[in-house]
Structures are given as structure tokens and as C-alpha cells.
Amino acid sequence: MTIQIAPLAALLLAVGIAVGITVFRYTARAQGAGGRGDLGAAIASGVTVAMLLATLLTPGFGEPPAAPATSTNAPRAVTPAP
């Protein structure tokens, strides 16, 4: 089974992961050599950046495409010209 991911979704995922890793490493350095990074802040910042980019770059991201307008072939009432 093949799972297809849209290129924009893959880009958003990659950017979110990169931001999360960067925040985790920054918080690990800020707490000292023995301290660990703040995993909660890293996940929250990665998800926030990905969602903001999705909102700004694609209005309607994640929504199914709109159905095409259906046309009816019902006959119309014709009024005679005066």
C-alpha cells in the first residue's frame, strides 16, 4: 500500500520537525550540560509553526475539494414574448 503525501504537507511536516528539534536543542543548552531539553515546548512550537504556515499558505488546507456545481437538465418554462 502506498501513501501519497502532498508536497506542501511534506514541507510543512519537515519545517515543523526542524523547528521542534531546534527548540529542544536550545532548551537543552540553556539548562546546562546535565539538563535535558523541554520536550513539551519543542512539540508545541513545531506544531504551532506548521499550523500557522498551513493557515497562511493554503486557505482551506485539509478540507476536501468542493464538489462541482451540478446542472439540472430539467426543461424551463418558456414565456411567450408579447
Side-chain angles (χ1 to χ4, degrees):
M1 182 166 89
T2 303
I3 298 175
Q4 296 179 357
I5 299 176
L8 181 62
L11 174 70
L12 294 176
L13 184 63
V15 169
I17 290 172
V19 168
I21 290 172
T22 303
V23 169
F24 185 77
R25 288 183 179 173
Y26 178 77
T27 56
R29 277 185 277 150
Q31 293 179 4
R36 296 184 57 140
D38 188 1
L39 185 60
I43 292 172
S45 61
V47 169
T48 302
V49 168
M51 292 307 296
L52 284 175
L53 285 175
T55 303
L56 294 174
L57 293 178
T58 58
F61 181 75
E63 295 179 10
T70 58
S71 63
T72 58
N73 292 332
R76 294 185 187 182
V78 178
T79 55

